[in-house]
Every structure is written in structure tokens, then in C-alpha cells.
Amino acid sequence: MNIRFRQDAIVRNLRRNGMTTIAMLARDVGASRRTIIRDIATLRDEGYVISTEQGRGGGLTLDPQSIQTTPRLSVAEVFALIIGVSSIRAAGNLPFSSLADAGLAKIEKALPSDKIRDLRRFLDCLYVGPLAPQVDISNLGEMDTALLPAFESAFLNQLFLRFQYRDVKGVQTDRHVEPQAMLILPPLWYLVAWDPSRQGFRHFRMDRISKPAYVNGTTFRRRSVPFDAGVHPVRKS
């Protein structure tokens, strides 16, 4: 089980049962006693008040008033917040933008140094700009929820991406590319990638990408992507 999901399961178990034991938690979440003890220590560091009662019949209890005081946002989650704000700003209709920026800055400050490093590397790949008025958006679809997790690993580790792509005529092809940038032209989002089979850059509308996955053991070099006038990096906006 994912570490975060396991720790969330421990908190839910404590809230529902009132009192439990290390052995019962280990059984319920499918982890070792040592792992549960380590998770309890982490949860305490994050602000949860978890008490231990000694003696026969004793166990763990969670103060019902205690809450998490340290955020556990992942790099992808913070990145999703930033691209959401950036896309609305690029569309020119973001009221209270200074408050949104201040909130995101506080979230970024709460991240550990390794996550801040990854977030900034991730943001270096993000660009925004205006959408040309002649672009047809009548067939805009939903984006695959697997995109962002796949992008996180592919961009941070410079790994190839493979996915299925459906073009404007509905023809579907399998693609194997080097992801170089993400481009937001509200309301459209694009993956900008170097396509080795075509020896050139290609823009893939994200709502036409399905079954994305990064490919282990296939690294590539960063390339300088040519963008149209008006497109700029989010980090410099």
C-alpha cells in the first residue's frame, strides 16, 4: 500500500474505533508492526495527537480534536494547483490573483527541500500563452487522470513517454516521445515533445492522449523548444 494511503487508513481506523493496538492496525492495513510504529511517529510529527495507554488492554487513541498541522501535499498535487491558477491567469479572468499566489507560496514553503527541488524542475517545463482565435475548441474532451503522475516521473527523470493519440480526424496511433514541455493555451493543454520517429517537435493535445506511461531505462536530453510569440515560462510570469 502507498505510504500516504496507509497513514490515512491508520487515522481513519483510530477515528472510527476510538482505541486500537499496533497489532490490529498492522493486520487492518497489511503492514508490519515496525512500519506501523514508524507511521505513528510520522503522524505525530504532522500534528496528530496519538496517545499510548500502557498495560493489559491498553492501546492507541487519537484525540478527536487533533488535526494535521503539517501539509502532506505531493509535488504533483502542488503542481496541479499551480497550473490551475496559471491557466486561469493566462485566460485573463483570475480575480484575487495576488491572494492565489500568496497561498501557493505558503504551500511551497511548507514542502521539504527535496520536493521543492522537484517542483521547481517540474515548473521549468511549464509554459503558458494565448490561444489563437481560429483554433477550434468545440470538440474539447476530458483529460486522462493518469497524465499528471506519468508526466511527473517522465519530466523529472527525463524518461520517454508512450501513449495512444487520437488526431483531429479520430485516427489513433501509438506514440513514443521525449517530453520536453507542457503548454497551456486556455482552454487547451498540450504536451510538447520531440518525436524520434518524425525527427521533430510535435504538439499533442492532452485531451486526445490516453493510456500514458513513462518508460524506464530510456533517458533523453533536454532540447530548446521553439515557441510562438506570447508564450512564456510560468516561472518567469
Side-chain angles (χ1 to χ4, degrees):
M1 180 185 290
N2 177 281
I3 294 175
R4 183 170 177 181
F5 290 161
R6 187 180 65 241
Q7 292 175 357
D8 287 345
I10 291 172
V11 173
R12 285 196 305 271
N13 191 301
L14 287 167
R15 288 200 189 281
R16 292 171 182 172
N17 297 325
M19 179 179 287
T20 187
T21 65
I22 297 292
M24 292 172 66
L25 284 174
R27 180 199 64 200
D28 291 344
V29 304
S32 68
R33 288 177 57 90
R34 180 175 297 179
T35 297
I36 296 298
I37 292 171
R38 193 162 53 238
D39 286 339
I40 293 294
T42 299
L43 291 169
R44 284 171 171 157
D45 289 342
E46 291 174 356
Y48 289 106
V49 180
I50 302 174
S51 302
T52 304
E53 295 189 12
Q54 302 297 327
R56 177 173 294 184
L60 300 171
T61 58
L62 172 67
D63 183 339
Q65 301 302 316
S66 72
I67 60 173
Q68 181 181 336
T69 58
T70 303
R72 286 197 293 159
L73 292 171
S74 68
V75 170
E77 287 170 333
V78 178
F79 184 75
L81 289 172
I82 291 174
I83 59 180
V85 170
S86 299
S87 61
I88 297 173
R89 183 190 292 114
N93 58 350
L94 177 63
F96 317 117
S97 60
S98 60
L99 287 176
D101 289 337
L104 289 173
K106 289 178 181 178
I107 291 173
E108 182 174 343
K109 287 180 181 178
L111 294 174
S113 58
D114 58 331
K115 287 189 177 182
I116 291 176
R117 182 181 63 249
D118 286 346
L119 176 63
R120 289 174 177 168
R121 288 176 55 208
F122 213 174
L123 285 173
D124 284 339
C125 302
L126 182 62
Y127 292 75
V128 294
L131 184 67
Q134 68 270 21
V135 176
D136 180 17
I137 60 172
S138 61
N139 59 351
L140 182 63
E142 293 185 2
M143 285 187 282
D144 192 325
T145 56
L147 274 175
L148 198 52
F151 282 2
E152 180 181 7
S153 295
F155 277 100
L156 293 182
N157 300 305
Q158 293 182 224
L159 301 175
F160 274 72
L161 268 175
R162 64 169 181 266
F163 52 85
Q164 293 181 351
Y165 189 70
R166 175 178 48 81
D167 65 18
V168 67
K169 296 181 180 179
V171 177
Q172 186 167 285
T173 54
D174 293 324
R175 299 302 183 97
H176 190 266
V177 301
E178 302 171 4
Q180 299 290 336
M182 283 167 278
L183 174 62
I184 303 175
L185 305 179
L188 299 181
W189 295 20
Y190 293 88
L191 166 66
V192 183
W194 177 265
D195 190 334
S197 65
R198 292 164 174 77
Q199 283 298 296
F201 287 105
R202 293 292 185 272
H203 287 57
F204 301 97
R205 265 181 50 172
M206 293 191 194
D207 59 311
R208 295 176 179 168
I209 295 175
S210 60
K211 299 181 180 179
Y214 60 88
V215 184
N216 279 317
T218 56
T219 58
F220 60 87
R221 62 182 175 87
R222 289 291 299 275
R223 300 173 186 266
S224 178
V225 182
F227 285 112
D228 294 336
V231 172
H232 56 272
V234 163
R235 289 256 286 165
K236 296 181 180 179
S237 61

